[in-house]
Amino acid sequence: MRKMTAIFFAAVLSISLAACENFLDEPGSNTAPSSESLPSQEISVLEEASSSGQDEEVDRENILVAYFSWADNAILAEDVDAVASPSVIAPGNVQELAGWVQEETGGDLFAIRVTEPYPSDWDECLARANQERGDQARPVLQEQVENLEQYDTVFLGYPNWWYGVPMALLTFLEENDLSGKRVYLFCSHGTGGLSNSVEIITEAIPNATISNNIFDCYEEEASSSQGDIQSWVAELGYTSVPEREEKTAGTQLSVAWGENQVIYSLNDSSAAQSLLEQLPLTVAVEDYSTNEKIFYPPQELDTSDTPIASGGAGTLAYYAPWGDVVMFYGDYNENPSLFELGQIVSGEELVAQMSGSITIAAA
Ligand SMILES: Cc1cc2nc3c(=O)[nH]c(=O)nc-3n(C[C@H](O)[C@H](O)[C@H](O)COP(=O)(O)O)c2cc1C
């Protein structure tokens, strides 16, 4: 069905190139723009966005995932003859992508819905969308985002419609002021790629910071794009909380040297996660004071969401000012810079004897 609509759309495009002035602003605009083809002012906005972009992990309380998809803007026909009459199919491509973005980021999902649904028939939908485009219409939306000010990051999803965006997306952008917000675009399209959509959106929200890391996928590949969405969202620095907790909580860490092994159980902190991401490691263990064995992981750990160490002997901790991981075999005083990574599970009596080169790995 998707394939057929793609072929059909390509055929419509080639006929319309010659026949319909309204269809295209310019010949060849049905190819995705490269960054070179963007006006220079837009490039600087986009590049600035990417360099000020995300690092490791970001607050996900303030994310909105807003999207438009034909499938939830049409009356779905039950018994459609898919061969003779191409028609809308649920879930929509962008709807599916948006669901995965939401799952990954934990953001709030908002479907942009018009009050007057589009025809579920392909030809009729194309015709109405084209009419709206020609008229520069602003279709009325069913509802607005509540408390828009609480969001500072918006993932904005849309299909390519007539080399640009559905006009309802522009209604949305005019009614919901995204100025000052960080915006990530994701798009599903036919053979036209992103076409002019990025320029249109950039023009509509000049005061938002639009990342140039845009996710787009061909319509036939949308339904198998969950992994790609996960990678994209992770690349932007949005690792979901549940995923992180699943990864670290109760994960065991082995510290081995010679014939000996000590096992720790990690907590679900961001610092434990940062340590896990650097494993396996083989490093030199050092003595510190009379109650600690320490080692230095190659990279600093992220302590943003990590409790202060308080567990006494057997604690695995991180001393942020020096960037060393500490294995306590005696009591210690609490310290606001000393963060807890986990607790010993076995081999407690061996910690004091640890020496030389140790290998740390997830057990
Ligand atoms: C009214 C309409 C216009 C479209 N115009 C284009 C276009 O200009 N270029 C393109 O590549 N795809 C175009 N498409 C195809 C959609 O972008 C593509 O099928 C997308 O995956 C649909 O996502 P959705 O299912 O979430 O609506 C159009 C589709 C429709 C319904």
Side-chain angles (χ1 to χ4, degrees), residues 192-213:
L194 292 167
S195 300
N196 297 318
S197 61
V198 179
E199 287 96 326
I200 293 170
I201 293 169
T202 305
E203 199 176 306
I205 46 172
N207 297 321
T209 306
I210 304 177
S211 168
N212 61 353
N213 190 342

Side-chain angles (χ1 to χ4, degrees), residues 4 64 81 110 119 131 143 161 163 211 237 243 273 335-336 356-357:
M4 201 188 67
L64 177 69
D81 177 347
F110 180 83
Q131 177 75 41
E143 56 201 358
W161 271 22
Y163 307 111
S211 168
E243 188 191 329
Q273 172 66 27
N335 176 318
S357 178

Side-chain angles (χ1 to χ4, degrees), residues 2 5 9 13 23 30 68-71 89 91-95 122 125-127 129-130 158-164 188-193 195 217-220 222:
R2 289 284 177 200
T5 57
F9 194 76
L13 290 189
F23 202 97
N30 62 331
F68 178 96
S69 187
W70 182 23
I89 298 175
N93 291 340
V94 178
Q95 187 181 1
W122 174 256
C125 183
L126 279 185
N130 196 28
Y158 60 94
N160 177 342
W161 271 22
W162 290 101
Y163 307 111
S188 176
H189 51 73
T191 50
S195 300
C217 71
Y218 183 51
E219 56 193 356
E220 284 180 48

Side-chain angles (χ1 to χ4, degrees), residues 47-66:
E47 283 174 355
E48 193 186 312
S50 84
S51 61
S52 68
Q54 310 298 299
D55 288 317
E56 293 278 284
E57 197 186 303
V58 277
D59 184 0
R60 59 196 59 71
E61 295 301 320
N62 51 14
I63 298 171
L64 177 69
V65 184

